[in-house]
Amino acid sequence: VAELELIAAIERRLRARGDRVLRGPGDDAAVVRGGGIAVTSIDTVADGVHFRLSTHSPSDVGHKALGQALSDLAAMGARPGEAYVSLALPSGFGDAEALELVDGLEALAERSGVTVAGGDVVGAGALVVSVTVTGWAEDPAALAYRDGARPGDLVGVSGELGAAGAGLLLLDGLDCALDAGVREELVRRHLRPEPRLELGRALAGAGVSAMIDLSDGVATDAEHLSACSGASLEVRLPDLPLADGVTEVARSARREPYELAAASGDDYELLFTVSPDRREAVEEAASSAGAVLGWIGSVVAGDAAVLLDASGTALALGGFEHR
Ligand SMILES: [Mg+2]
């Protein structure tokens, strides 16, 4: 009965957006009017693995769970639609905290035009939030996939990298003298990643040949694009655009700034490849979506990603695994 009351309280906090969802939470299943091609992804975050309740508020957890899932739709270039949320709540996590988590998730849903169309609540040993998202496209050819990179393409990335990794080091107690605003922004980037939904649609529309969201870091995610495409993404580490404060944090942690940016996950920027004759169209699409792009490498024959240091020497990927 307590669970039913919590579910009712959660449902009262959710709003429908658009007219696709004919029946949301409250029936046995959601009923949605299909909008063309459905693009579906699921993502799960667990306390102690993907976040820690000691450093993340319940609202941060709700934001992060939906944000990560939506980032996969961004990487496909899909228009976000519905989210389905499973909350596994440990006994120490009260109803007020559960509702705060839902509010954090719903706030991002509102900004993204997403309707939470269903979900469930169960008791569990640890806080686990699982989010399935559905996005929509008119045409499968309008989406971006991981397997389209070809030799001769350019490698691009959106935004600035390393912020989430630096934020995590700061949350872990790293001693580093930083401007308060810079510190706050790095920590925010770790706690509340922003899915690049508008940018992903713009890049897919402008004809990128392959795309992935940076959940694990450039080193690992470039490897995913390389393996799926059967081509080799060569990434010049010194050309990675770094967020403010990343250099200082890396030095304090006795790591190379570019290594930190390439190896740390959770930035949720977009990594893509594009044929050189579409570079201008891609830059225009990005700027109309309010984003800045960095050009960080090129695609060559091969089947594995290669990271180049300042002298053009290839570094082993092995040292760049996501922690
Ligand atoms: Mg992804």
Side-chain angles (χ1 to χ4, degrees), residues 126-189:
L127 179 62
V128 177
V129 184
S130 188
V131 181
T132 299
V133 286
T134 303
W136 301 96
E138 313 303 324
D139 180 344
L143 298 169
Y145 303 91
R146 290 184 177 187
D147 59 1
R150 295 292 175 264
D153 286 355
L154 304 171
V155 180
V157 72
S158 67
E160 294 169 334
L161 306 183
L168 177 59
L169 288 169
L170 294 170
L171 282 172
D172 280 346
L174 178 75
D175 188 20
C176 177
L178 277 178
D179 179 78
V182 171
R183 167 183 296 266
E184 203 176 301
E185 176 62 10
L186 292 175
V187 168
R188 191 190 64 76
R189 287 285 305 271

Side-chain angles (χ1 to χ4, degrees), residues 121-253:
V121 177
V122 297
L127 179 62
V128 177
V129 184
S130 188
V131 181
T132 299
V133 286
T134 303
W136 301 96
E138 313 303 324
D139 180 344
L143 298 169
Y145 303 91
R146 290 184 177 187
D147 59 1
R150 295 292 175 264
D153 286 355
L154 304 171
V155 180
V157 72
S158 67
E160 294 169 334
L161 306 183
L168 177 59
L169 288 169
L170 294 170
L171 282 172
D172 280 346
L174 178 75
D175 188 20
C176 177
L178 277 178
D179 179 78
V182 171
R183 167 183 296 266
E184 203 176 301
E185 176 62 10
L186 292 175
V187 168
R188 191 190 64 76
R189 287 285 305 271
H190 177 73
L191 296 177
R192 293 189 163 243
E194 273 304 310
R196 304 299 185 207
L197 289 161
E198 191 190 348
L199 176 64
R201 289 212 299 291
L203 292 176
V208 297
S209 52
M211 185 153 63
I212 189 170
D213 61 316
L214 289 173
S215 53
D216 295 333
V218 165
T220 303
D221 291 319
E223 179 59 24
H224 290 317
L225 286 187
S226 298
C228 290
S229 295
S232 175
L233 272 70
E234 265 190 0
V235 173
R236 301 179 300 263
L237 291 177
D239 289 345
L240 296 183
L242 301 184
D244 278 355
V246 168
T247 298
E248 290 83 348
V249 168
R251 299 255 185 262
S252 297

